[in-house]
Amino acid sequence: MTPLAPSPGTARDAVAPPRAAAAGAALRRAAPALLLYAAVRALGVVALALWGLADGKGARHLLSARWDSLWYARIAEQGYGYTLHLPGGKVHSDMAFFPLLPWLERGLSALFPLSAGDAGLVVAAVASPAAAWGIFAVGDHLYGRRTGVALVVLWAALPVGVVQSMAYSESLFTALAAWSVYAVLTGRWVGAGALAALAGLTRPVGAAVVAAVWITAAVALLRARRRPDGPSLPLGRMVAGVALAPLGWLAYVAWVGVRTGSVTGYLDVQGGWGNGFDGGLAFGSFIGERLTGPAFPAGLALLAGVVLVGLLYRAGVRQGQPLPLLVFSGTVLLLTLTAKGYFGSKPRLMMPAFPLLLPLAAALVRLRTVRAVTVVTVVALASAVYGAFWLHGSGPP
């Protein structure tokens, strides 16, 4: 029998407390992952600050006022319209940057006495644990609590993990992407579509979240047609989620097209930065030049990194990861590895592809506790030191 709906007068009493209790239980379950995440990221910031004492550079400046952070802050303060003409013909337009982060920075700066850069740090401080919680939720849902905790710790301790603490859009995007993927896994199609739309307003790779929603929905519909005697699909909610998913990405790309007066306006803007897609030819040539020159160790490291992410993706397929995870991480890898320009950014651009770490997380939880703690400690320390070295040097372009 279908239970009777609560009367309007009792709806809040009947629904809100269970929802609040469920949210509290979910937060308590995720607490170990969130605490370990905070510890790893705090270690990274402390290492950055200590390095700065010797180098004369403050951690706050490095995290909020360099590279892309400056472009986001300028957009937050002045809106779009700034273009930088460089020698050699490159034209850097601020329209290369998607708007959600600068919108949030502008809103926080209007409400509180914060500069746009500091507001970006606040966004990162909220979005990064939200991303960690979403990543835990995915790992816990699929493989259990311990795997979810291990997945979060590994993501926090990535070599470029310091970016999660910067006034960059990676943490915000990863939070939206992780929770969108989790919503797909749990059949919350409208929520998945809404989160995908917001992810599409955050970074160009928001298309990967849209792909995860669309392809998973398409495959589910095909399977349902082949098995008409199977469980019925929530078709209305699924269609709504699929319709919502691309709206953010399409809206911004269309706005840039109108602003530039060209259907290919966003691609033209990226081209001005030297970015674009060539199937990975430029990146392959970049690696090849180093393998055949004095920078052989760097070329070998790059080649090993590409092979490693490929092996991790294959391991995820063999692990039986659900389709939305494989589509999301696969699309992130495809868009990153086939793009030209700013090759040093590729590790940072692949950071949201957290499902790649699931095979490593599963292996980590199979270790004895002492060994697992030792591995995590060494990896976290290495990440902290490398992050400090990276930001005091070339950093993430």
Side-chain angles (χ1 to χ4, degrees):
M1 294 180 62
T2 303
L4 295 175
S7 65
T10 61
R12 177 177 296 180
D13 293 336
V15 176
R19 286 181 179 174
L27 180 58
R28 288 191 295 273
R29 185 169 180 82
L34 297 179
L35 290 172
L36 286 172
Y37 176 81
V40 173
R41 292 300 342 122
L43 178 64
V45 173
V46 169
L48 183 66
L50 291 176
W51 195 300
L53 292 177
D55 202 27
K57 297 177 182 177
R60 177 183 168 193
H61 174 79
L62 292 172
L63 293 172
S64 68
R66 295 182 74 187
W67 304 294
D68 290 5
S69 300
L70 294 174
W71 287 88
Y72 284 121
R74 183 187 292 272
I75 296 168
E77 293 167 350
Q78 302 176 19
Y80 284 98
Y82 178 74
T83 301
L84 183 63
H85 295 268
L86 299 175
K90 285 189 176 182
V91 180
H92 290 185
S93 167
D94 59 7
M95 288 186 289
F97 298 91
F98 276 51
L100 187 56
L101 176 57
W103 284 350
L104 293 174
E105 289 178 342
R106 180 181 296 180
L108 286 171
S109 297
L111 291 173
F112 303 101
L114 294 170
S115 67
D118 288 341
L121 291 181
V122 172
V123 173
V126 174
S128 55
W133 191 358
I135 290 168
F136 168 80
V138 171
D140 181 32
H141 177 75
L142 294 175
Y143 303 109
R145 188 182 194 185
R146 293 184 65 200
T147 301
V149 171
L151 182 62
V152 167
V153 172
L154 290 175
W155 187 71
L158 285 171
V160 293
V162 69
V163 175
Q164 297 164 23
S165 303
M166 295 180 68
Y168 269 44
S169 60
E170 272 76 9
S171 289
L172 178 61
F173 173 76
T174 305
L176 295 167
W179 283 109
S180 180
V181 168
Y182 178 75
V184 173
L185 291 172
T186 54
R188 297 172 171 89
W189 289 99
V190 176
L195 290 165
L198 290 173
L201 283 171
T202 308
R203 295 189 62 78
V205 77
V209 191
V210 178
V213 175
W214 276 18
I215 293 176
T216 305
V219 170
L221 287 172
L222 285 173
R223 288 175 177 170
R225 289 187 64 182
R226 291 174 182 171
R227 297 179 58 187
D229 57 334
S232 60
L233 293 174
L235 191 58
R237 294 194 295 276
M238 185 179 288
V239 169
V242 167
L244 281 171
L247 294 184
W249 191 91
L250 287 175
Y252 183 67
V253 170
W255 178 82
V256 174
V258 171
R259 185 77 176 259
T260 60
S262 171
V263 175
T264 60
Y266 185 74
L267 294 178
D268 298 337
V269 167
Q270 287 287 357
W273 282 76
N275 295 329
F277 296 95
D278 62 357
L281 293 176
F283 186 40
S285 177
F286 179 79
I287 295 175
E289 289 172 2
R290 275 138 190 82
L291 287 173
T292 56
F296 176 79
L300 192 62
L302 284 169
L303 183 61
V306 173
V307 171
L308 175 61
V309 295
L311 291 175
L312 287 175
Y313 186 79
R314 187 179 119 181
V317 174
R318 298 181 68 177
Q319 188 182 28
Q321 288 182 18
L323 185 61
L325 270 68
L326 294 175
V327 171
F328 171 65
S329 57
T331 306
V332 172
L333 288 183
L334 180 67
L335 293 175
T336 301
L337 296 178
T338 61
K340 60 181 179 179
Y342 297 102
F343 302 118
S345 298
K346 291 192 183 295
R348 169 175 68 87
L349 299 178
M350 288 188 287
M351 189 175 65
F354 67 89
L356 294 174
L357 299 172
L358 268 169
L360 297 178
L364 185 61
V365 300
R366 289 195 294 269
L367 297 177
R368 292 183 178 179
T369 302
V370 173
R371 213 173 264 184
V373 170
T374 302
V375 169
V376 167
T377 302
V378 170
V379 170
L381 286 170
S383 172
V385 172
Y386 181 74
F389 165 77
W390 197 38
L391 285 196
H392 282 88
S394 61

